[in-house]
Amino acid sequence: MAEKFDILSEDFVPTAVINEPLPCPEENLKKTKVINGRGEREMVLGRNVHTTSLAVTEPESNDEFTGDKEAYMASVLARYRKTLVERTKYHLGYPYNLDFDYGALGQLQHFSINNLGDPFIESNYGVHSRPFEVGVLDWFARLWEIERDDYWGYITNCGTEGNLHGILVGREVFPDGILYASSESHYSVFKAARMYRMECERVDTLISGEIDCADFRQKLLANKDKPAILNVNIGTTVKGAVDDLDLVIKTLEECGFSHDRFYIHCDGALFGLMMPFVKRASAPKVTFNKPIGSVSVSGHKFVGCPMPCGVQITRMKHIKVLSNNVEYLASRDATIMGSRNGHAPLFLWYTLSRKGYKGFQKEVQKCLRNAHYLKDRLREAGISAMLNELSSTVVFERPRDEEFVRRWQLACQGDIAHVVVMPSVTIEKLDHFLKDLVENRSVWYEEYGSQLPCLVKDVGIKNCICPAHK
C-alpha cells in the first residue's frame, strides 16, 4: 500500500484567510419579491418552460443560407458562453469545484470513447479509456486502503449511480436485508430503496445532521432477525455532516450483528475525497480496513470535472453476485449503466496526476479555512450560522428574497440555506456575497417588519443568535 498522508499540520489555522484574485462581478440583477416570507418557490410538476427553450430548426434546403445559419448558431453559443461566465461568478450553493483547465484534452473530443462492460476485462470495442479508468480506480483504492486484488470498481456517471450500485450490491448480498439510512441522506438512497423494492428504515439525526445512533440502535433491535444494509454519509447534502463510522459499526456489533450480517455503503459524494486529508482526532477514517462494503465519490465535485461522473469501489468478493458474462461485448458487466462515458476517466486521471495527494491536501486546507471565515463573518453580521467540524458547508438562515437565492444559486431547505466552500470559492467571492447579503437583509426585514428568525431546531442553541438566544 502507498504511504499514509496526514494533511492538516499541527499549526493549521482554519480561520486564516487565503486571498485570491476575483474578476469584478457585474451589477446586481433586478430584484423580485417572493410569494411568502421564507423565500420558497412553488414547484409545479410539468411546468411549461417552452417559452425559454431554444428551438431546433431544420437546415435550409438552399445551400446559400447555410452560412447564415452557421453564423446564427455561433452567435447563440457565444451568448450562452457569456451566460455561463456570468453565472459562474455567483455559484455558491452547490458543491462543484469550478477551478479547472482541461485544454490539453481538447484533442480527444473528436473520438467516441465508450468504456463498455467490466473495466478490468477487454471487450471487442477498441475505442475506450480503460487504462485511465483503472489507473484512477487504483488511486482511490490506495486512498481508501484496499489492495488491488481485493477491490472492484468503475467510473460512474454521477454520485447517484454510485449509491444505486452500492445499495444494489448490499441487497444482492442480503436479499432479505433492511436498508437503514438517516433522514438527511441524499434522496438517491431512498430512490434506490424504491427501485429495488427494499424495506427501508429512516433513522433520526442529531442537530449536526449526523445519524443518531441511539435511534439506529432501537431500529436494529426491532429487526434483529434480518441483516442490515446501511448507508453511511461522509458529508450530508444540506449540513455537510459526517456520520461517525466507528460508532455505527460499534452499534451494529453491540446489537448482535456480526460482520457477516451487515453491509455498509459509504456515500462520500463530496467529503469522501476530503476526509482522508483531515487530521482530527474525532475524524472517523473511511477505510476498507474496517468492515465496510463499498465507497462512492463524485468526480465533478471536489475533483472538478466539467461533466458529472463518480467513482465506485467495492470488495471483489461482493461483486460476484452482480457480474454476468455478456457475449455481445466479449466481456462481463456488473455496472448499472453498461455504456459509460469514456472521457470522464481521462479528466479524472488528468486532475489526479496534476494535483496528487499533496495538491488535494492544500485545497482541503484552503476550503476549511475559508469556510470558517464565512461562518465567522456571518455571525459577526448577526446571522445565525453553523459549520460542522469536519465540513466546508456553512449553514445559515434562508434569504427572504427568491431572486437573491437564484442569483447566488443557493441550496435551501426549510428555514436554512447553505454555501459549500469549494477550491474555486475565494475570499473575494465570499466578501462579495456577504456584502450583498447584509445589504439586502436589512431591506427584507424592514419590509416584513419581523424579528430575526429562530433557527434552534436547525442549527442548535449555540449557533442560533436570534433575540431569544443571542
Side-chain angles (χ1 to χ4, degrees):
M1 298 297 290
E3 61 178 306
K4 304 296 189 298
F5 291 87
D6 289 323
I7 34 190
L8 293 193
S9 58
E10 298 296 338
D11 59 350
F12 170 68
V13 181
T15 54
V17 174
I18 298 179
N19 290 290
E20 295 181 1
L22 181 74
C24 293
E26 296 183 4
E27 290 301 311
N28 292 355
L29 301 173
K30 183 179 178 181
K31 299 282 190 296
T32 57
K33 291 183 180 180
V34 292
I35 54 178
N36 63 40
R38 199 165 71 174
E40 291 180 89
R41 276 181 299 145
E42 183 182 13
M43 288 185 285
V44 180
L45 188 65
R47 181 189 296 274
N48 190 329
V49 295
H50 290 182
T51 55
T52 61
S53 67
L54 283 168
V56 176
T57 58
E58 294 299 314
E60 296 284 350
S61 57
N62 190 336
D63 291 343
E64 293 180 5
F65 295 100
T66 301
D68 291 340
K69 180 160 186 178
E70 292 289 342
Y72 163 74
M73 291 191 294
S75 68
V76 169
L77 294 175
R79 291 197 301 272
Y80 176 57
R81 184 185 186 282
K82 186 177 180 180
T83 299
L84 293 178
V85 170
E86 175 62 21
R87 298 308 287 134
T88 296
K89 295 178 184 177
Y90 301 91
H91 189 284
L92 283 178
Y94 294 86
Y96 307 138
N97 180 6
L98 306 181
D99 184 15
F100 54 75
D101 181 2
Y102 290 107
L105 300 183
Q107 59 187 312
L108 305 176
Q109 67 176 342
H110 303 293
F111 297 96
S112 176
I113 309 176
N114 190 339
N115 289 2
L116 299 163
D118 194 300
F120 303 92
I121 303 175
E122 195 77 21
S123 76
N124 288 337
Y125 188 73
V127 188
H128 61 78
S129 62
R130 282 195 190 83
F132 296 91
E133 182 173 21
V134 175
V136 170
L137 294 172
D138 284 344
W139 191 92
F140 279 95
R142 291 194 299 273
L143 188 70
W144 294 323
E145 299 182 323
I146 185 168
E147 298 293 340
R148 290 185 178 185
D149 293 339
D150 294 333
Y151 88 87
W152 184 91
Y154 72 104
I155 305 299
T156 63
N157 291 299
C158 60
T160 288
E161 186 181 348
N163 287 341
L164 291 176
H165 192 276
I167 293 171
L168 177 60
V169 173
R171 192 205 65 175
E172 293 299 286
V173 173
F174 298 117
D176 61 337
I178 296 177
L179 175 62
Y180 298 85
S182 81
S183 59
E184 297 207 22
S185 297
H186 190 261
Y187 70 88
S188 61
V189 174
F190 304 105
K191 178 191 289 188
R194 293 194 303 273
M195 289 175 65
Y196 304 146
R197 297 292 190 266
M198 298 174 68
E199 184 178 352
C200 181
E201 290 278 359
R202 285 180 182 253
V203 183
D204 293 342
T205 58
L206 308 176
I207 285 290
S208 65
E210 296 176 48
I211 188 170
D212 182 350
C213 280
D215 185 57
F216 179 44
R217 179 186 298 272
Q218 290 184 358
K219 288 179 167 61
L220 282 175
L221 292 175
N223 298 283
K224 289 186 66 175
D225 58 325
K226 292 187 177 181
I229 302 166
L230 177 65
N231 177 78
V232 168
N233 295 304
I234 312 302
T236 57
T237 305
V238 177
K239 296 182 178 179
V242 177
D243 292 341
D244 190 332
L245 177 59
D246 295 335
L247 183 57
V248 164
I249 294 171
K250 181 181 179 183
T251 302
L252 284 161
E253 293 171 343
E254 290 178 349
C255 290
F257 287 79
S258 56
H259 291 187
D260 60 351
R261 293 193 65 243
F262 67 80
Y263 181 97
I264 295 176
H265 170 67
C266 297
D267 176 9
L270 173 59
F271 295 115
L273 182 54
M274 297 178 68
M275 280 295 299
F277 304 114
V278 178
K279 186 180 180 182
R280 291 284 193 279
S282 59
K285 188 175 183 180
V286 178
T287 169
F288 279 92
N289 290 328
K290 298 176 182 179
I292 64 175
S294 53
V295 183
S296 63
V297 67
S298 295
H300 56 289
K301 292 180 179 173
F302 197 80
V303 177
C305 280
M307 78 283 284
C309 60
V311 174
Q312 163 73 356
I313 285 185
T314 187
R315 295 182 186 274
M316 180 68 78
K317 65 180 182 180
H318 294 324
I319 204 61
K320 294 176 182 178
V321 298
L322 282 180
S323 187
N324 293 301
N325 290 328
V326 183
E327 183 179 1
Y328 167 75
L329 302 177
S331 181
R332 293 179 65 84
D333 187 32
T335 67
I336 295 285
M337 302 303 295
S339 288
R340 305 189 307 286
N341 183 345
H343 288 271
L346 298 171
F347 285 90
L348 290 170
W349 176 89
Y350 186 80
T351 298
L352 298 180
S353 298
R354 283 188 64 192
K355 296 180 180 178
Y357 293 109
K358 293 299 183 182
F360 285 111
Q361 163 188 337
K362 294 177 182 178
E363 293 193 337
V364 169
Q365 290 182 359
K366 185 181 80 168
C367 290
L368 294 181
R369 285 192 180 104
N370 290 354
H372 277 275
Y373 173 80
L374 174 59
K375 185 259 295 183
D376 292 342
R377 287 290 307 278
L378 284 167
R379 292 177 66 83
E380 288 169 9
I383 302 173
S384 299
M386 180 182 78
L387 174 63
N388 279 309
E389 180 187 7
L390 306 172
S391 176
S392 66
T393 299
V394 181
V395 179
F396 56 98
E397 70 178 57
R398 181 177 189 153
R400 289 182 172 246
D401 188 328
E402 178 61 20
E403 187 56 41
F404 183 92
V405 170
R406 290 172 64 86
R407 179 180 185 232
W408 286 100
Q409 300 167 68
L410 301 178
C412 302
Q413 179 174 287
D415 293 324
I416 58 176
H418 76 208
V419 164
V420 185
V421 180
M422 301 297 286
S424 55
V425 176
T426 63
I427 288 295
E428 288 78 13
K429 193 170 191 176
L430 294 176
D431 282 340
H432 179 208
F433 167 73
L434 285 159
K435 182 175 183 293
D436 201 15
L437 176 62
V438 171
E439 289 177 353
N440 281 277
R441 189 169 175 266
S442 62
V443 176
W444 301 335
Y445 284 105
E446 182 179 330
E447 288 182 356
Y448 289 108
S450 58
Q451 291 185 338
L452 298 177
C454 176
L455 298 183
V456 165
K457 65 180 179 62
D458 294 303
V459 300
I461 193 168
K462 70 176 183 178
N463 296 307
C464 181
I465 52 177
C466 72
H469 298 102
K470 187 173 182 179

